[in-house]
Every structure is written in C-alpha cells, then in structure tokens.
Amino acid sequence: MASSATSSVSSNAAAVLGALLEARTGQQLASYRSWRLDTALIPLLRERGLDTLDQLVALLLSGRDPGIGDRIVDALVNGESSFFRDSAVFDQLVEAVAEHEAAGHRVRLWSAGCATGQEPLSLAMIFAERQADQGAAMPEIVASDVSEQALARARAGRFTQFEIQRGLPIRRMMRWFEGDGGDWQARPDLVRLIQFRRQNLVADRAPPGRFDLILCRNVLIYLSPATKARVFETLAQALRPGGTLVLGAGETVIGHSDAFEPCRRFRGFYRRVGGEEKLAAA
Amino acid sequence: MKTCLVVDDSKVIRKVARHILETLAFEVREACDGREALDACRVAVPDVVLLDWNMPVMSGMDFLRALRDADLPSRPKVVFCTTENGMAYIRAAIEAGADEYVMKPFDRETLESKLQIVGLA
Ligand SMILES: C[S@@+](CC[C@H](N)C(=O)[O-])C[C@H]1O[C@@H](n2cnc3c(N)ncnc32)[C@H](O)[C@@H]1O
C-alpha cells in the first residue's frame, strides 16, 4: 500500500527505522502517517551531511555514530503538546489531588511522557498559585520522557510564540513567563518545582517512590496492545493503592489492564484497584 | 450563533480571521478601525471583539477604553490581536479591560485556544 508520498523512502529504510523506533519506545511507526519519516528526519540528514534515508540507515547500522539512534528516535516520536491540554482535566485534577491530600501526606505527581514540558509546567502553575493564594502544600512533581531532546527543551522552559499561545491564559503567561525577543522563558522558580528525568516507559523502572497521581496522556496511543498492557503494569506499580491514573482524551485502560477502574467522579480518570495485599503478593 | 466583531485595518487579516472564525461557527462582522467598531457595538453587542492595536482614526486601546465606559446591554469579551508582543503592551491591554491577547502571527489553533479560554469555543 505504498503511497506516492513515501516513494522516496525505500521500504527497507522505513522498515529499519520503524524497527528502531519500536524497539526503543514501543511506538509503532506503521500507525503514523508515513510521510512523517521524510519530513521528520530532514533536519538530522542535513546535520549529518547525508542525502537519503538509506544513507542514514547505513550510518546507523555501521555503528560509527553511537548517538545516531537516539537522535533518530527523538526526531520520530510525536512530541505534540500544549499548555493545559484538555483544560477540564486540570480542574478535575485539583480536586483529585485534594482528595489524596486528605490522607495527610505530601502528594506526589508524575507526568509520564511530558514531551517539551507544557504538561508539568501547567501542573506547577496551578499548584504554585494554589499555594500562594490558599497556603496549600505544594505537591512534588516528577516529569519524564524517553526523548532527551524533548527533555532538554522542557528543562530550559523556553517556548516559541506559537507554543506559548496554545492553551496558556494570558494572565498566567504574564505571571510565570518573561518575553525574551520572540521566545518566552518560564521563570526559574516555576521550572524548579519540577524534577525532570529521562525514563522509558517500556524499558525502565518507574521513578522511585509511590505516586498519588500519574498523567500519561497521548503517549500510549501508538503502542501495540501487549506493550500497552506492560506499561499499565509499570504505572500500576508506581501508584499508591487508590492512586489516580489520567489518560488522554479518548484513551482507556479498559481491555488492557485490570489494575484500574474508571473513577466515578472524574471522566477519563482511573483508580488503582487492589490494595497492598495484591502488591505484596506480586 | 456566537458573534465576533473583527476590528483590523488590514483587509487580509480580517479575511483570514473571518475564515477561521467561520469554521469555529461564529457569525462574523468587520470593522476597519475603533470608531467603526464602537458604532457596530452600539447597534448590536457581539460576544467577542478581536481587536488590532494600531489602526487609523481610533486605536484599539482607545476603542477598548471607550467600550468599557460605554453603557451597553452586555459586556463583550475582548481579545487583542496584534503585533505588539512586549510584556508592557500586554499588561496595559489587560489593565484596560482586555480578556485575552493573541500575538500576531497567529494560526487557527492559537485563535481557537484563546476563544476557548474566554469561554467561547
Ligand atoms: C504526544 S506527546 C504527549 C505530551 C503530553 N503528555 C501531552 O499530552 O500533551 C508524547 C510523548 O511521549 C513520549 N514517549 C513516547 N514513547 C515513550 C516511552 N516509551 N517512554 C517514555 N516516553 C515516551 C514522546 O517522546 C513524546 O514526548
């Protein structure tokens, strides 16, 4: 079913690059639109002085350029994000966090697959404002991604004019960002509220300690069902019993994991079922 | 139907904005400057005004102040849409009563996102 748009990509190169991406991240290239290969890799080809994807694949297979695999993966993962994406989720999340806080400990949040940082920064803004306005405790926020390049951008907290205008209310932008000749820079005291770390959901352990709430939104869509089931297992292990998992709009655990049940109060939120006994037995 | 008044002295910008707004199910009216816009608001108050800053006859800021002082049956949302993208301008606009701010150039997602933020998309 080769489309004309993919004619410049040899099927061999596409197969190798697809296999690399799936091996590293679980993401299946077949589900992406195939033109992405070409367009997504052009900057990397230029940087390495190459003309074709076949040459890139040859370089990858030669082993002469150890960093090239990561760079290909960085270029191929879908890193689309925005501030306060699906904004209703954040209103619900504040309530869910308040419920977890009622248990009396400092709440821990994990943004798994945080891309360029808009999701954890949205969390940081909400809870820093809540702290300033109501004196409420600041939850711990951990944010991770498989892409080092995305993480570097997230840590830097710099956004283009287009990025900063997606979903971020202007008053929040005024409060938390500084204009910097075109780009917008998050204030250091905001970025400091987030612990960034590289973590591959299909290969690595979860960050240490148990979380009260995990956001894993728009990350698992392109995973095979078997890989998805494994990731849900990792996420379940990382949650406290009764902890909350938040998926992207249109994503579900149903049919992939029985460690969660839909929250009655919040749409799109799932509750970790099974108590310590189940975990202890595992 | 939700209504939007697009106020910009550039015909091209008005056309682009109209196109995007219509796909978002807005009924669109246009004005070339603040004076025309104020007249249009006196005839029928739109749900939202998309407002350029620098215009002949009456600037966006002068329009906004006059609008907020005017005795109208309802309070339209005002989204500035301008190439002035410094923090001082943004702050001045918000203090004068703007609800949101779009920095040009903008695209469909930006406009849709800002209209959502003011509760209209
Ligand atoms: C579409 S973005 C979603 C960003 C954010 N969660 C949101 O909803 O806006 C998906 C992110 O998941 C990351 N990702 C893909 N596979 C991953 C894996 N196996 N482990 C960790 N992160 C992964 C990608 O690098 C990308 O940054």
Side-chain angles (χ1 to χ4, degrees):
Chain A
M1 242 193 24
S3 76
S4 58
T6 60
S7 55
S8 60
V9 182
S10 79
S11 58
N12 186 33
V16 174
L17 296 170
L20 173 77
L21 181 68
E22 185 163 4
R24 296 272 180 105
T25 68
Q27 306 286 332
Q28 296 186 311
L29 194 59
S31 344
Y32 280 66
R33 281 187 278 169
S34 26
W35 57 257
R36 270 189 62 90
L37 258 190
D38 267 13
T39 39
L41 290 168
I42 287 171
L44 184 58
L45 289 179
R46 287 222 182 98
E47 191 191 296
R48 293 297 206 270
L50 304 172
D51 294 322
T52 67
L53 292 184
D54 285 325
Q55 291 173 351
L56 181 66
V57 166
L59 181 63
L60 170 73
L61 299 177
S62 75
R64 274 184 286 117
D65 188 342
I68 197 75
D70 280 354
R71 295 298 312 281
I72 293 172
V73 169
D74 284 345
L76 291 182
V77 286
N78 169 0
E80 176 90 6
S81 192
S82 58
F83 290 99
F84 298 96
R85 188 172 189 170
D86 305 319
S87 60
V89 164
F90 288 86
D91 300 334
Q92 296 187 2
L93 188 142
V94 172
E95 286 187 49
V97 164
E99 281 180 11
H100 290 300
E101 280 167 339
H105 57 261
R106 184 178 181 208
V107 162
R108 302 185 71 226
L109 312 177
W110 176 19
S111 165
C114 66
T116 37
Q118 286 92 331
E119 185 175 274
L121 283 167
S122 301
L123 294 174
M125 283 185 258
I126 289 185
F127 289 107
E129 287 169 15
R130 192 186 68 152
Q131 183 180 42
D133 300 345
Q134 303 164 26
M138 187 67 204
E140 190 179 328
I141 302 171
V142 176
S144 64
D145 202 280
V146 70
S147 163
E148 193 56 64
Q149 196 169 305
L151 272 180
R153 291 209 45 214
R155 284 194 186 100
R158 274 180 87 81
F159 298 91
T160 66
Q161 189 169 296
F162 278 102
E163 290 166 333
I164 201 80
Q165 302 206 79
R166 296 270 158 80
L168 183 63
I170 198 71
R171 284 182 178 76
R172 283 207 161 116
M173 189 187 95
M174 292 163 64
R175 180 159 179 182
W176 296 111
F177 290 82
E178 267 150 37
D180 173 355
D183 281 355
W184 292 83
Q185 175 68 51
R187 274 174 35 185
D189 54 334
L190 184 70
V191 181
R192 260 202 302 275
L193 297 170
I194 304 163
Q195 301 162 42
F196 290 102
R197 55 167 68 221
R198 189 171 186 190
Q199 194 265 352
N200 184 341
L201 284 163
V202 305
D204 301 336
R205 288 166 176 276
R210 291 289 185 82
F211 291 92
D212 296 277
L213 186 144
I214 301 175
L215 289 136
C216 188
R217 304 191 304 155
N218 310 298
V219 178
L220 307 180
I221 356 173
Y222 299 116
L223 299 191
S224 71
T227 314
K228 236 180 236 182
R230 274 216 324 278
V231 173
F232 281 128
E233 196 50 45
T234 304
L235 297 176
Q237 295 291 331
L239 275 174
R240 282 180 209 275
T244 309
L245 174 66
V246 182
L247 298 177
E251 296 180 273
T252 182
V253 299
I254 295 164
H256 300 292
S257 167
D258 50 17
F260 300 95
E261 64 183 19
C263 279
R264 256 168 269 137
R265 275 189 68 193
F266 306 121
R267 248 188 63 214
F269 284 41
Y270 297 87
R271 191 176 157 275
R272 168 83 169 98
V273 291
E276 299 289 5
E277 334 76 58
K278 189 167 174 185
L279 293 170
Chain B
M1 215 176 184
K2 298 164 290 183
T3 52
C4 181
L5 177 64
V6 177
V7 190
D8 203 303
D9 57 340
S10 155
K11 199 174 165 186
V12 176
I13 298 282
R14 291 201 306 271
K15 197 173 157 193
V16 171
R18 168 184 285 278
H19 178 74
I20 296 174
L21 287 159
E22 285 178 349
T23 64
L24 296 170
F26 277 87
E27 187 185 311
V28 178
R29 282 180 292 137
E30 298 179 18
C32 309
D33 61 60
R35 169 65 49 209
E36 256 188 56
L38 210 51
D39 290 345
C41 288
R42 289 208 177 94
V43 175
V45 186
D47 294 308
V48 57
V49 181
L50 193 66
L51 183 63
D52 186 21
W53 193 298
N54 291 307
M55 290 176 292
V57 187
M58 185 190 248
S59 75
M61 266 309 237
D62 290 341
F63 162 81
L64 177 57
R65 294 202 180 95
L67 179 78
R68 291 308 185 214
D69 281 344
D71 189 16
L72 296 173
S74 60
R75 182 190 185 280
K77 302 279 185 191
V78 172
V79 177
F80 253 106
C81 182
T82 165
T83 47
E84 306 295 356
N85 59 9
M87 198 61 106
Y89 284 96
I90 296 174
R91 187 159 290 125
I94 297 300
E95 276 165 13
D99 298 282
E100 262 301 332
Y101 203 98
V102 172
M103 296 175 272
K104 287 176 184 165
F106 61 95
D107 59 6
R108 186 181 195 284
E109 277 79 32
T110 303
L111 201 51
E112 183 173 11
S113 157
K114 293 292 186 177
L115 289 165
Q116 259 165 16
I117 290 171
V118 299
L120 283 170

